[in-house]
Amino acid sequence: MDELEATIENIVFQAEDGRFSVFRVRSKKMERISVVYKGLAPFLGEQVRLSGNWAEHPKFGRQFQAFTWQTIQTSSAAGIERFLGSGAVRGVGRAMASRIVEMFGDDTLKILGEQSYRLTEVSGIGKKKADTIASSYAELSDMKELMLFLEEHGISSHYAGKIQATYGNTALKRIEDNPYCLASDVSGIGFRTADRMAMSMGIKPENESRIKAGIEFALMQTASAGHTCLPEDKLLTETARLLQIAYADVYEVYKKLIRDDLLRKEEFAGTRLVYPEYLYRAEIGVARRLLYLRDKVNRIWQVDYQSIIENWEHETGLKLAEAQIEAISASVEHGIFILTGGPGTGKTTVVKGILAVLEKAGCKILLAAPTGRAARRLAESAGHPASTVHRMLEYTPNGDAYFFGRNEENPLEADAIIVDEASMLDITLAHNLLKAVSVGCRLILVGDVDQLPSVGPGTVLKDIIRSKMMPVVRLNSIFRQAALSPIVLNAHRINKGLQPECDKCNDFCFTEINDEEEAAEYIVENYARITADEGWEGVQVLAPMHKNPCGVMNLNKLLQERMNPAQPGKNEIMTPNGLLRTGDKVMQIRNNYEKDVFNGDIGRIDTINGTTVRVLFPERPEGERVDYAQSELDELQLAYAMSVHKAQGSEYPSVIMPLVPSHFMLLQRNLFYTGVTRAKKRVILVGSRAAVNTAVSKDDMRKRYSLLAERMQEESNLI
C-alpha cells in the first residue's frame, strides 16, 4: 500500500450520502493528483496523509485510489485561509477568510477554537456573526475529532457524517460508552465494523455487551439467509463462531435475555425457535390475516358466473380445462385463493377468465406483481393495468425507514386484487399487503411454487399451500400449443428430476466445455452472435453465482469489453459498482419510485454528460429516458449478465446459462428450473455434464426456518 502526503486543492465531487468522493490534491513535490475515495472528502486546504494504491483510469489517467486518510494539522496561513474559504465554516467566504487569516495568521485555528470572541477584531464581524462562525467551527471540530477517533480505531472516517447526524455532539461519548450502538443505530455500519472498533478500544471478547450484540446480529442475519427464525442451538453456535468465544459464554448471556423476556421465542416439535421482533410480528400477522380474510368475502354476486365463463370461452375461442374452471370458480367464492402451476399450464388464461367474471360483476380490480418487469408482463398478458406491489401500497421511503400509505386505517379501494409472481413475496411484504386488503375484498395469489423462493425472509407461497388452510388449485396439464415448446417440456422434465433433452432442436441446446475460462469465452461469442441478429435486448446471460470465471462479475467485464469497448470520444464514468460507458447495457438494482424505474429494469446508457448519465429504458411506460446524477449511480450496474435471482419475474427472448463445477454450492433444481423458464424462445446451456447433473438431481433445497404453515393450522383450530 502506498502513502501520499498532500494538501486538498479542490473537491470535484461529493455524494450526498457521503459514500463516494473525488478530489484533487497537491503533493509535497507540487504534483497535482486526482484522488478517488469511498467516503467523505477532507476539507479544502487540509493537509492529509492518504493510504491507498495508484491506478490507471482508461479515460482520466493516473489516479490515487485512497482507502483511508488522516488529517495532518494545518499550520501554514495559506492552508488555513484555503480551508476557511472553502465554505466548510458557515458565515465565512473567501474574502472573510482572507481578512481573518490576515489578522491572526498561523494562530487562526487556535483563536477560532479557544478565543472566538476575538473574531470581532476583524472588520465586518460583529458579535452575532462571531458566534455563528464559532458555533460552526465547533461543530466542524467535533466532526474532525470524530473522524480522527474512527481512523485511530481502524474504521473509515467516511462514516463520520452519518454518526454525527444520528447522535449530534454526543457521538463520541455514545461510542465510548457502547460502540455496538453503531450497528443498531447507524445505517451502513454493521456488527463487524462496530466489533472491530470495540476490540480496538480494548473491550474484552467475553464482554456481556459484545455477546448481546453478537446474538442480535446473528439473529438479524436470519433474514439475509431467508429464515424468519432460528433454532436456539443454531443461533448460539453461530454466535460463538462469529465472536470466536466459547459456546458456554454465549449461553450464559442468552439465558439472561430469555429470562428478561428480551427475545421472541416459540416452542415447536421439541425445538425452541428464536425470532427477530419484526419477523415474529409479520409471521403471526400473515397467518391471522389470511385466515380472517378467507371467509369474509362479500356475497354480492347476482350473476351466473358459469354462464359468463361459457360466453367468454365462446368469444375468445378458448376451451378451458376442468382445473381452470375450478380455479375461476374458487376465486369468486373465497376471500383468499391460490393459483399455482408451471409454464404452459394456463395460469395466464385463468387470470383472464377471472378478470372477465369479476368485470362482469362490476368489481373494481387491482393487479400487481413484486417487480416492475413482472407487473408490465402481467399488464400485457391480462390486458389490464398493473403496478408493483410497493406502488399499489403507496410505499414511501423515509431515510433509512419507510412506510406504506395503504394499511389497516387506509385500505386499498378494490373488490378484488390479483398478485402475480407471488412466489417472490417475502413475509414482510406479504404482511403489509394483507394489512391493506379490506374485509370482503378477494385476494388472488398467482405463482409458480417450484421457482426460487423470495430473496427476503420466508417462503410465503409455499407455506400457504403447505398449510392446507387456503383454497388452492394447482395446474398440472401442459396445453397443446405449449407442449410444442422445448423450453416448456424441458422445464417440466427438470422439475421432475429428469435430464433436459438438448439434442432434438436448436432452441434448447447444451455445449459441454469443462474449462471454465473457455466456457466464458464461448458465452461471449454466442452473446455477440445473437445480439448481432436480434439486437441488444435479444439475449440475457443468467449465472448462478457472482464470482468465478463464469460468474456475473467476470462475464459482465468480458461482455463489456467485447460488446462495448473503450473508444476515443466514447464517454465513461466510474461508479461504486464499476466502470460504465455510453452504450452499456445496465440494470436498475433497487426500486426508485421518483424516477419510475424498478429493481430488475434493463436499459442502455444513451449519454454520459459530465457526471450525469442518461439511460434509455424501452419498457418504461412513462418515457424511455431517465437521468441519473452521480450520487444516484450506485443504483445502476452492468446487465450483460445477471444472477438467476435477479431475473425472477422477467422474461428474455434467449437465455444463456453457464453451469460449471465452481457453481456447485448454488446448483439446485429450483434455480436451474427458474433460469430456464426465463427464456421465451431459446435456451443455451454451457458447462460441464456433471454440473448439469447436479443442478437436476440436487433437490435438497436449503431449509428455510419458518412456522407460517404451522401457525395457520394452529390459528385455524382456535377459530
Side-chain angles (χ1 to χ4, degrees):
M1 186 177 296
D2 298 311
E3 284 198 349
L4 174 67
E5 290 189 8
T7 302
I8 309 302
E9 286 213 326
N10 184 29
I11 308 299
V12 178
F13 170 76
Q14 174 67 68
E16 291 180 8
D17 59 7
R19 291 171 58 187
F20 185 76
S21 60
V22 180
F23 48 91
R24 292 194 180 94
V25 302
R26 185 178 292 275
S27 71
K28 284 186 172 182
K29 297 179 180 179
M30 303 307 289
E31 300 173 295
R32 278 188 162 181
I33 299 164
S34 292
V35 179
V36 177
Y37 176 63
K38 289 187 177 180
L40 285 168
F43 298 113
L44 281 181
E46 278 197 300
Q47 293 176 318
V48 295
R49 182 179 294 109
L50 304 157
S51 297
N53 294 325
W54 291 98
E56 192 71 30
H57 190 278
K59 179 179 180 182
F60 301 115
R62 192 168 184 247
Q63 293 181 335
F64 191 80
Q65 296 182 339
F67 301 137
T68 63
W69 62 264
Q70 290 182 328
T71 299
I72 303 171
Q73 183 63 43
T74 302
S75 57
S76 72
I80 294 171
E81 181 178 335
R82 191 168 181 80
F83 162 62
L84 291 178
S86 69
V89 179
R90 289 194 307 275
V92 180
R94 291 183 180 178
M96 181 67 73
S98 177
R99 294 203 300 274
I100 293 173
V101 174
E102 184 180 356
M103 174 68 71
F104 300 117
D106 292 348
D107 292 331
T108 297
L109 296 184
K110 182 179 179 181
I111 297 296
L112 285 171
E114 301 174 11
Q115 303 173 23
S116 58
Y117 61 88
R118 290 192 58 194
L119 287 171
T120 56
E121 298 173 19
V122 179
S123 173
I125 299 181
K127 186 178 184 307
K128 187 175 181 180
K129 192 171 188 64
D131 290 343
T132 299
I133 294 171
S135 174
S136 178
Y137 182 73
E139 292 173 10
L140 201 59
S141 296
D142 288 342
M143 176 72 82
K144 290 179 69 176
E145 188 179 357
L146 176 60
M147 293 166 78
L148 181 60
F149 180 83
L150 294 174
E151 293 287 358
E152 284 177 350
H153 292 292
I155 307 300
S156 174
S157 58
H158 82 260
Y159 291 118
K162 284 188 174 182
I163 295 172
Q164 188 84 358
T166 302
Y167 299 132
N169 58 12
T170 67
L172 274 176
K173 186 176 187 310
R174 294 286 294 271
I175 296 171
E176 288 171 344
D177 289 346
N178 177 20
Y180 295 101
C181 67
L182 295 172
S184 56
D185 297 343
V186 183
S187 173
I189 298 182
F191 170 80
R192 290 185 175 87
T193 300
D195 192 44
R196 193 162 68 249
M197 168 168 278
M199 294 293 97
S200 174
M201 291 168 59
I203 289 180
K204 301 298 182 185
E206 294 80 15
N207 179 279
E208 185 172 320
S209 295
R210 181 173 187 254
I211 296 175
K212 285 181 180 178
I215 291 172
E216 181 180 340
F217 175 70
L219 192 55
M220 293 304 292
Q221 288 295 97
T222 61
S224 301
H227 309 297
T228 61
C229 54
L230 271 185
E232 176 183 274
D233 185 63
K234 190 176 180 70
L235 171 63
L236 298 180
T237 300
E238 176 59 25
T239 304
R241 185 199 63 78
L242 171 73
L243 300 179
Q244 294 292 292
I245 61 174
Y247 182 99
D249 291 329
V250 177
Y251 184 60
E252 287 303 313
V253 175
Y254 171 76
K255 282 196 302 183
K256 289 183 180 179
L257 295 174
I258 291 293
R259 184 191 63 207
D260 296 339
D261 202 25
L262 296 176
L263 288 176
R264 287 288 189 176
K265 57 191 182 299
E266 199 78 56
E267 305 287 341
F268 176 74
T271 300
R272 176 182 280 171
L273 294 157
V274 188
Y275 283 79
E277 176 69 23
Y278 79 103
L279 293 179
Y280 179 82
R281 291 182 178 276
E283 193 173 273
I284 288 178
V286 168
R288 291 176 178 172
R289 191 70 177 166
L290 281 168
L291 292 166
Y292 181 71
L293 293 172
R294 179 189 61 187
D295 303 320
K296 300 295 183 184
V297 64
N298 286 330
R299 304 289 178 183
I300 59 173
W301 305 97
Q302 302 297 323
V303 294
D304 181 357
Y305 57 83
Q306 297 291 349
S307 297
I308 296 174
I309 293 172
E310 291 174 6
N311 291 335
W312 180 74
E313 285 181 309
H314 178 74
E315 292 171 2
T316 60
L318 296 171
K319 182 62 180 174
L320 296 175
E322 184 177 340
Q324 291 178 304
I325 294 174
E326 179 191 351
I328 296 172
S329 300
S331 72
V332 171
E333 295 167 356
H334 300 281
I336 304 287
F337 169 65
I338 316 298
L339 175 66
T340 188
T345 56
K347 294 193 300 297
T348 299
T349 300
V350 171
V351 170
K352 289 180 178 179
I354 291 172
L355 284 170
V357 172
L358 295 176
E359 287 172 345
K360 192 72 174 178
C363 288
K364 181 177 180 180
I365 309 162
L366 296 176
L367 269 63
T371 68
R373 289 177 68 88
R376 284 191 282 271
R377 281 180 53 210
L378 175 61
E380 291 168 4
S381 62
H384 189 285
S387 70
T388 64
V389 176
H390 282 82
R391 169 153 287 187
M392 180 176 71
L393 297 178
E394 298 177 8
Y395 167 87
T396 303
N398 183 19
D400 297 326
Y402 61 87
F403 67 91
F404 291 96
R406 295 291 180 171
N407 47 43
E408 304 99 313
E409 288 76 30
N410 185 29
L412 293 164
E413 298 170 5
D415 300 304
I417 300 167
I418 300 175
V419 178
D420 197 13
E421 298 288 353
S423 62
M424 298 176 68
L425 291 174
D426 62 38
I427 193 73
T428 53
L429 183 56
H431 188 214
N432 283 292
L433 169 63
L434 289 165
K435 286 191 293 185
V437 176
S438 60
V439 176
C441 176
R442 290 159 177 78
L443 177 63
I444 300 148
L445 301 177
V446 183
D448 186 346
V449 75
D450 295 317
Q451 288 188 20
L452 286 169
S454 60
V455 175
T459 50
V460 175
L461 186 65
K462 182 178 181 179
D463 286 348
I464 293 173
I465 295 172
R466 185 166 62 87
S467 75
K468 299 182 179 179
M469 292 292 105
M470 295 291 126
V472 177
V473 171
R474 178 159 191 160
L475 304 177
N476 293 307
S477 300
I478 304 174
F479 285 86
R480 184 164 49 189
Q481 185 175 358
L484 300 175
S485 165
I487 296 174
V488 171
L489 291 175
N490 278 320
H492 285 272
R493 286 183 64 84
I494 292 167
N495 205 29
K496 293 175 182 177
L498 302 174
Q499 290 289 321
E501 295 179 345
C502 303
D503 54 356
K504 292 186 176 181
C505 70
N506 292 325
D507 292 336
F508 201 106
C509 58
F510 169 63
T511 300
E512 186 169 10
I513 303 176
N514 290 305
D515 183 278
E516 295 192 18
E517 292 186 354
E518 289 183 17
E521 292 175 6
Y522 181 85
I523 289 169
V524 171
E525 292 304 317
N526 274 270
Y527 188 101
R529 175 180 57 81
I530 296 173
T531 301
D533 293 338
E534 302 179 23
W536 69 274
E537 296 179 86
V539 59
Q540 184 61 51
V541 178
L542 301 181
M545 294 182 71
H546 283 272
K547 297 182 179 180
N548 302 316
C550 286
V552 172
M553 295 171 65
N554 188 55
L555 289 172
N556 265 326
K557 180 181 177 182
L558 296 176
L559 286 162
Q560 184 187 46
E561 290 173 357
R562 174 61 184 274
M563 305 306 301
N564 191 32
Q567 293 178 357
K570 182 182 287 186
N571 291 336
E572 54 188 40
I573 190 168
M574 182 60 71
T575 78
N577 296 322
L579 182 71
L580 300 179
R581 61 174 62 104
T582 302
D584 271 334
K585 182 179 181 180
V586 293
M587 175 173 57
Q588 176 79 17
I589 61 173
R590 58 176 175 267
N591 291 339
N592 187 319
Y593 292 90
E594 292 182 4
K595 294 183 182 296
D596 285 310
V597 285
F598 304 98
N599 190 2
D601 283 358
I602 292 178
R604 197 176 189 187
I605 295 178
D606 180 43
T607 58
I608 298 176
N609 185 8
T611 58
T612 300
V613 175
R614 173 167 290 178
V615 181
L616 299 181
F617 289 100
E619 296 182 351
R620 184 172 180 266
E622 293 81 3
E624 294 182 352
R625 290 171 172 78
V626 178
D627 288 339
Y628 292 79
Q630 187 160 2
S631 60
E632 300 170 316
L633 293 180
D634 61 347
E635 297 183 15
L636 295 174
Q637 69 180 35
L638 290 175
Y640 301 101
M642 70 175 70
S643 68
V644 178
H645 281 85
K646 273 291 184 187
Q648 283 182 269
S650 300
E651 281 187 344
Y652 315 95
S654 296
V655 164
I656 303 175
M657 191 172 181
L659 296 167
V660 296
S662 65
H663 293 163
F664 177 79
M665 291 296 294
L666 290 182
L667 291 178
Q668 294 273 358
R669 186 183 300 170
N670 61 351
L671 181 139
F672 191 14
Y673 172 78
T674 302
V676 164
T677 55
R678 300 308 91 202
K680 291 190 284 188
K681 298 194 307 182
R682 184 188 301 115
V683 171
I684 300 171
L685 304 177
V686 182
S688 73
R689 181 71 62 181
V692 175
N693 292 341
T694 299
V696 171
S697 61
K698 196 174 178 183
D699 194 32
D700 55 339
M701 184 179 68
R702 182 170 54 85
K703 176 179 173 58
R704 287 191 170 190
Y705 293 103
S706 165
L707 290 181
L708 177 60
E710 289 76 16
R711 288 190 191 282
M712 292 175 66
Q713 292 165 351
E714 183 178 314
E715 291 286 337
S716 181
N717 293 331
L718 299 176
I719 296 176

